[in-house]
């Protein structure tokens, strides 16, 4: 992402279709928070949203498990898919603990997220730090060309600076850019997609758009499908205004679908069926 604006994220807010996506997301999230169940049982809704969000993120990383299987399992070691689901669950739990650090030290948060995702199973020193020149990246789904380590370091610093400085851009725009930039860079040797979606969640929650973390965008990304996710991401990679707008709109639809999932959870709780 590059622009000459002093607030590049705010500049993205004016792209065609982005304002509509931002308004749609805000209305949907406000409606979810207005549900009567949220007055008394918001903690239950948050917990269920976290579980469903983790399932969705894992699905995009190649472990498309049934929700009840995710709910039932206690051992996430062993086969690769189980480790992926376990990583997604750990990241979702950890994200809420890092909100206060994010605005002051986003790179520290990203390192922590990678460490949590890896879960201590990687037998070398690649965990919790950006990759170095020559190191191999294992990332399911995303096959775009990899920036070299020097470019990764520079762009991570730039992203960190934008986050620390702050922006007048809506939360949807900021979260979409953080998500897209981390997918583009794939700064770690593994788990980049999971980390990128966890960072998206942190921005949506920390911005105040979704303070109780009840609107899991990961659910919506998974529901739209892996092909649509990759196609929208290619728009981000293009750097063209229409491509960036398409990615932001895609992320907006993901949040909207997450809201729909949460509304269903609220309705089930209201009926006593959840």
């Amino acid at each position: 992402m590059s622009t000459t604006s002093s607030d590049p994220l705010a500049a993205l807010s004016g792209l065609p279709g982005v304002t509509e996506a931002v308004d749609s997301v805000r209305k949907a999230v406000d409606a979810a928070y207005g549900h009567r169940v949220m007055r008394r049982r918001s903690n239950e809704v948050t917990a269920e949203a976290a579980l469903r969000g983790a399932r969705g993120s894992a699905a995009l990383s190649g472990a498309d498990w049934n929700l009840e299987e995710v709910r039932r399992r206690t051992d996430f070691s062993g086969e690769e898919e189980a480790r992926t689901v376990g990583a997604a669950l750990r990241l979702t739990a950890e994200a809420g603990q890092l909100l206060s650090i994010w605005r002051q030290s986003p790179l520290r948060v990203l390192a922590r997220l990678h460490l949590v995702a890896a879960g201590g199973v990687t037998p070398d020193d690649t965990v919790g730090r950006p990759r170095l020149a020559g190191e191999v990246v294992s990332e399911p789904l995303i096959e775009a060309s990899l920036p070299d380590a020097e470019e990764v370091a520079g762009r991570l610093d730039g992203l960190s600076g934008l986050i620390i400085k702050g922006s007048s851009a809506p939360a949807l725009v900021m979260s979409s850019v953080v998500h897209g930039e981390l997918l583009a860079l794939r700064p770690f040797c593994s788990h980049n997609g999971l980390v990128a979606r966890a960072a998206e969640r942190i921005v949506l929650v920390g911005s105040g758009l979704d303070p109780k973390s009840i609107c899991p965008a990961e659910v919506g990304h998974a529901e739209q499908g892996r092909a649509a996710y990759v196609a929208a991401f290619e728009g981000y990679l293009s750097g063209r205004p229409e491509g960036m707008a398409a990615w932001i709109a895609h992320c907006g639809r993901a949040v909207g679908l997450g809201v729909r999932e949460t509304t269903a959870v609220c309705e089930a709780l209201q009926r006593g069926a959840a």
Side-chain angles (χ1 to χ4, degrees), residues 113-130:
L113 290 174
H114 188 245
L115 184 66
V116 168
V121 299
T122 304
D124 55 41
D125 66 349
T126 65
V127 175
R129 64 157 175 79

Side-chain angles (χ1 to χ4, degrees), residues 24-34 208-211 214-215 255-256 259:
S24 177
V25 163
R26 168 54 71 186
K27 289 176 184 176
V29 172
D30 285 350
Y33 274 84
L209 176 67
D210 180 20
I214 65 166
C215 304
V255 176
V259 169

Side-chain angles (χ1 to χ4, degrees), residues 6-7 13 17 19 47 51 55 59 61 63 66 90 100 138 163-164 192 196 210 215 227 254 261 263:
S6 60
D7 187 350
S13 303
T19 298
L51 183 73
R55 193 218 72 82
S61 286
N66 180 279
R90 291 192 299 273
S100 63
S138 172
I163 294 165
I164 292 169
N192 289 288
D210 180 20
C215 304
E261 187 90 351
T263 301

